[in-house]
Amino acid sequence: MTKRELSIAFQTDKRAVDYIDLAKLVNQYAFDAVTVYCDAPYQPSYGPLLLMAPHVSKSRLGPAGIPPSRMHPLDIAAQTALLAELAAGGVYIGLVRGGWLAEHGIRELDPPITAIREAVDIIRLLLSGESAGYSGRVYRIAEHVRAPYPLPARRIPLQIGTWGKQLAALAGEIADEVKIGGSANPDVIPLIADYIAVGEARGGRDRGAVDLVIGAVSVVDENRDAARWIARKAVSLYMPVVSKLDPTLSIDPDLMSRLQSQVEAGDDDAAARLIPDDILNRFIFAGDPTDIIEQCARLYDAGAQRVELGTPHGVREAATGIQLIGTKVIPALKPYLAPT
């Protein structure tokens, strides 16, 4: 069996000391990667990652993901190089088009797929020590521009987060991973793999050359009902968006409209009560450790190379959920996670 991976992800809404404490905690367990998000209007990724890096020795670190519309590729490259100096377990770069940009006053670069491709070109040129001179449709950089800082000793893997056919195909050409965000649905994995395969063929790569990562809101507790209630509230924020992205699901649009109205009104409890049990597990990891183990196993069996367990992790505090993942979920998934 091919080795799979398990990672953990955090929202960037914390105090500096909290990132350090979380880093020390996750370093006690065999997580393959530690991710932080870059959602507006939360803190951008690299500050939290730089705080965590000195305390994480076992896992690679990275953002999932950065919209080039929010951070210029010059800055992504520079911050990545600095992070690579501190991250003993390695780093990766995650790029996305980005969600909720317009409502935060961020104008998406146009054309967006071209912007991602050009951003990757520029980042790779800088991190390789070459001239970043570039004359593209989106970016124009003078020929003399080079990275004026120490460069990473190793090649930095690239992740692209997407649900879309065009961007998944681009990832098939140029990326190492594709992240499906906001989902725990095994049925979507073969579909996105088909999208990626178009680009893999176009780039002369074998099908499956690009790994597939899937992740979502996660809450684990010995009290199963409490965990699922907290997860319902957390997922209500993004379910109206993700439900439109997943073509394998058939969900009443009126239900999603009512859910969105409750979210916008700030009534998380009312929004959570609207989510039916039969679709909840397609969007979240929630329940006791056995529930999480079974969900992860289904995703690995469907073809995911990495499962990422996202915020908030625990019912009352993240630490309780992380400890359960580290002591019960990871050991039980050893048949998937151990090299063969």
Side-chain angles (χ1 to χ4, degrees), residues 145-169:
V145 175
R146 293 177 183 269
Y149 41 77
L151 297 173
R154 294 180 287 178
R155 177 185 175 276
I156 306 298
L158 170 69
Q159 177 189 104
I160 291 179
T162 186
W163 286 79
K165 290 183 179 181
Q166 292 184 59
L167 191 49

Side-chain angles (χ1 to χ4, degrees), residues 205-249:
R205 307 170 87 181
D206 293 336
R207 184 183 175 108
V210 176
D211 287 345
L212 207 151
V213 183
I214 189 165
V217 161
S218 307
V219 185
V220 56
D221 194 90
E222 296 292 5
N223 184 334
R224 183 177 188 271
D225 291 339
R228 289 178 68 79
W229 174 247
I230 296 298
R232 282 176 187 276
K233 293 175 69 172
V235 78
S236 63
L237 174 65
Y238 70 81
M239 186 180 285
V241 175
V242 177
S243 65
K244 299 174 185 176
L245 300 174
D246 189 339
T248 72
L249 297 176

Side-chain angles (χ1 to χ4, degrees), residues 154-322:
R154 294 180 287 178
R155 177 185 175 276
I156 306 298
L158 170 69
Q159 177 189 104
I160 291 179
T162 186
W163 286 79
K165 290 183 179 181
Q166 292 184 59
L167 191 49
L170 175 63
E173 287 187 67
I174 67 174
D176 299 282
E177 295 181 328
V178 166
K179 166 77 180 290
I180 308 170
S183 179
N185 181 9
D187 293 341
V188 79
I189 291 172
L191 179 71
I192 301 298
D194 285 343
Y195 296 168
I196 297 167
V198 173
E200 289 170 328
R202 197 160 62 205
R205 307 170 87 181
D206 293 336
R207 184 183 175 108
V210 176
D211 287 345
L212 207 151
V213 183
I214 189 165
V217 161
S218 307
V219 185
V220 56
D221 194 90
E222 296 292 5
N223 184 334
R224 183 177 188 271
D225 291 339
R228 289 178 68 79
W229 174 247
I230 296 298
R232 282 176 187 276
K233 293 175 69 172
V235 78
S236 63
L237 174 65
Y238 70 81
M239 186 180 285
V241 175
V242 177
S243 65
K244 299 174 185 176
L245 300 174
D246 189 339
T248 72
L249 297 176
S250 179
I251 301 176
D252 180 4
D254 180 62
L255 170 63
M256 292 298 101
S257 178
R258 287 185 284 128
L259 182 65
Q260 183 66 44
S261 295
Q262 296 293 353
V263 169
E264 291 174 355
D267 194 338
D268 294 344
D269 287 354
R273 284 192 290 269
L274 289 172
I275 302 171
D277 280 333
D278 60 343
I279 66 169
L280 189 63
N281 285 344
R282 302 286 175 165
F283 290 90
I284 61 170
F285 299 88
D288 60 28
T290 299
D291 290 313
I292 309 304
I293 293 161
E294 291 174 352
Q295 282 188 275
C296 290
R298 286 193 292 270
L299 292 165
Y300 292 134
D301 289 339
Q305 277 74 44
R306 175 153 63 91
V307 173
E308 186 155 272
L309 302 178
T311 296
H313 304 116
V315 170
R316 293 180 180 83
E317 57 181 16
T320 303
I322 294 167

Side-chain angles (χ1 to χ4, degrees), residues 125-143:
L125 287 169
L126 286 163
L127 292 179
S128 67
E130 298 180 31
S131 163
Y134 204 86
S135 181
R137 292 182 63 186
V138 178
Y139 295 104
R140 286 176 172 78
I141 298 175
E143 193 65 33

